[in-house]
Amino acid sequence: MSALEPRDADVAPNPAAAPPVPVGGGSVLDRAHRALSIGIVSVVLVVAFEATAVGTAMPVAARELNGVSVYAFAFSAYFTTSLFGMVLSGQWSDRGGPLGPLAGGMSCFAAGLVLSGTAADMWLFILGRAVQGLGGGLVIVSLYVVISRAYEEHLRPAMMAAFAAGWIVPSVVGPLASGTITEHLGWRWVFLGIPVLVVFPLALALPAIRRTASGPAAPDAPVAPWDRRRIRLALGISLGAGLLQYAGQELRWISVLPALAGAALLVPAVRGLLPRGTYRAARGLPSVVLLRGIAAGSFIAAESFVPLMLVTQRGLSPTLAGLSLAVGGATWALGSWVQSRPRTEPYRERLVVGGMVLVAAAVATAPSVLITAVPVWIVAVAWAFGCFGMGMVIASTSVLLLKLSAPEEAGANSAALQISDGLSNVLLLAAGGAAFAALGGGAVGHAVSAGASTGSHPAAFAAVFLPMAGVAAVGAWVATRLGVRGQEHVA
């Protein structure tokens, strides 16, 4: 079955079209679900370890490759190609099940790490990040489809909480291990060591997925051909986002040309791939998708610059800079656990509003360490509260999306949610990177490349954090429009 076109949230799906959900016990760790749950959480563990470890090593990699001036590109390249991978994974999963895109995505993810770890210059490093992003896009959507097919609705919030819990150990161990390896062996070993970790999750997850969630959503229905229009739109959204990012980094008059070309590709692609009403925050599914992008984009764009700010402005080592964010993994998991409690279900919208307020406050507080009198640990405290808010928001948007989706729509709608997430990351990283470069970020890079322990360019960092706090505050308003009573899909 092909991925469906985006629909208005007000159009109710046909309950009769839904295949039966696999029946199991009352827990994600009961006999029917145990192997699958452990397998896919292991996949999340590897992705989480990569994210925390790479973020710690990135300032040193950018310095040694003379690429601090395009620092934001090292992050946004991942999100740019993941946009295409998400749409591809949505169709692939809806047509043949999530097994293929998960295996292919993890393989691509590992190949990108190897390419970045062996890169001789910054642009080859960025290419590796792009390959890795393609794999990441395939993986994340396929995992959502697995949850939609293999878990009853009342177990899905618990699985989202388990995903968040999978970040706790990597958030603590990842920065410490990455910083130690970077300082004593070199940053390349951070990238080259992670692919080894891919083998165990694949060996554990793939057989369990084959047993419980393989094949098309409606096995008796004929398999429709690939929706080539959506593939073209996905390619357009990736190319458009990449061109906008390039234009934002170059900051020359001629950059107007790639910016216009990027917008021309991006606008129709976004309109075709996201639910109608997304950018006017229509109630229900459109607001869920929009909020996901606002929350993820504002937070990730700010977080990407935290280690660089602490290393260049306060003279911290890469290890300490990474550890300043470590506690966030635990509080993110705590926030996700809170939303998974049955007693909180009637208050989900209030939880999400409160979560976005915490995110906005955390992002606004972080640049206070640019004032030398402010202790560095303020960043760790602020990020702990921000991650708690993100745990509630990200898990809740995932739960709401699956509630609003018929089983045969899970791939397409999950792809839309992740496209909003990834596209917002790219655009806000591009905006933040442009502001950073315009207000002295390049000079920060030269200072680091020259071996200076600090650089005095606080305005460049403030120009990243404060606008992102404003974006997160807008997200608190969008969170008031998630009311979905009467719109849930009835399985």
Side-chain angles (χ1 to χ4, degrees), residues 13 41 53 69 139 160 217 272 275 289 305 459 466 477 486:
V41 170
S69 61
V139 168
M160 296 303 171
V289 172
F305 282 86
L466 297 182
W477 170 78

Side-chain angles (χ1 to χ4, degrees), residues 262-285:
L265 288 169
L266 199 61
V267 172
V270 169
R271 290 174 61 87
L273 292 172
L274 298 186
R276 290 188 293 272
T278 295
Y279 288 104
R280 57 181 173 84
R283 287 192 177 275
L285 182 63

Side-chain angles (χ1 to χ4, degrees), residues 61-441:
R63 179 192 68 198
E64 293 190 3
L65 295 174
N66 297 316
V68 178
S69 61
V70 291
Y71 182 78
F73 236 144
F75 290 94
S76 63
Y78 179 100
F79 298 116
T80 299
T81 53
S82 70
L83 295 171
F84 180 75
M86 291 166 189
V87 176
L88 182 64
S89 183
Q91 288 204 41
W92 193 349
S93 297
D94 284 343
R95 295 179 76 253
L99 189 65
L102 179 61
M106 290 297 284
S107 301
C108 198
F109 186 81
L113 282 164
V114 172
L115 183 57
S116 288
T118 57
D121 58 63
M122 191 63 178
W123 287 110
L124 189 58
F125 178 88
I126 290 171
L127 176 61
R129 292 286 289 163
V131 173
Q132 189 184 345
L134 178 63
L138 290 169
V139 168
I140 188 63
V141 172
S142 63
L143 289 180
Y144 274 66
V145 176
V146 170
I147 293 174
S148 173
R149 293 191 184 185
Y151 295 87
E152 297 87 337
E153 184 174 323
H154 72 278
L155 294 180
R156 293 171 189 166
M159 277 309 299
M160 296 303 171
F163 276 18
W167 282 77
I168 296 178
V169 173
S171 295
V172 176
V173 176
L176 180 61
S178 176
T180 301
I181 293 170
T182 298
E183 292 176 24
H184 296 284
L185 298 177
W187 63 268
R188 294 182 185 276
W189 288 103
V190 174
F191 289 83
L192 296 176
I194 295 174
V196 178
L197 303 177
V198 171
V199 177
F200 173 75
L202 284 181
L204 195 59
L206 296 187
I209 293 173
R210 184 178 291 110
R211 290 193 303 268
T212 60
S214 62
D220 296 332
V223 178
W226 288 87
D227 187 338
R228 295 182 180 180
R229 173 180 174 272
R230 289 180 67 83
I231 297 296
R232 288 195 299 269
L233 290 176
L235 186 59
I237 205 172
S238 294
L239 291 176
L243 287 169
L244 285 175
Q245 172 67 27
Y246 176 79
Q249 287 291 143
E250 288 300 309
L251 295 180
R252 295 180 296 171
W253 69 267
I254 200 170
S255 298
V256 173
L257 297 179
L260 291 175
L265 288 169
L266 199 61
V267 172
V270 169
R271 290 174 61 87
L273 292 172
L274 298 186
R276 290 188 293 272
T278 295
Y279 288 104
R280 57 181 173 84
R283 287 192 177 275
L285 182 63
S287 284
V288 171
V289 172
L290 176 60
L291 178 62
R292 179 58 164 263
I294 289 175
S298 59
F299 192 77
I300 296 301
E303 186 177 62
S304 299
F305 282 86
V306 169
L308 186 65
M309 177 176 67
L310 295 177
V311 169
T312 62
Q313 305 300 291
R314 297 300 297 264
L316 268 65
S317 68
T319 302
L320 290 177
L323 284 175
S324 68
L325 305 179
V327 71
T331 57
W332 189 308
L334 179 61
S336 186
W337 178 84
V338 167
Q339 67 78 39
S340 72
R341 300 300 86 195
R343 292 181 180 180
T344 64
E345 184 62 34
Y347 309 102
R348 186 173 295 279
E349 187 171 289
R350 295 181 185 178
L351 288 176
V352 176
V353 172
M356 287 308 304
V357 171
L358 288 176
V359 171
V363 175
T365 300
S368 65
V369 299
L370 294 168
I371 303 170
T372 55
V374 176
V376 174
W377 54 261
I378 288 293
V379 171
V381 174
W383 231 247
F385 280 99
C387 286
F388 179 78
M390 286 291 288
M392 293 191 293
V393 172
I394 297 300
S396 289
T397 54
S398 300
V399 169
L400 290 172
L401 177 105
L402 294 178
K403 182 180 291 188
L404 290 166
S405 300
E408 67 272 15
E409 294 179 305
N413 286 348
S414 296
L417 187 76
Q418 297 302 326
I419 286 169
S420 178
D421 186 318
L423 179 61
S424 181
N425 285 329
V426 172
L427 295 181
L428 292 180
L429 273 168
F436 179 73
L439 293 176

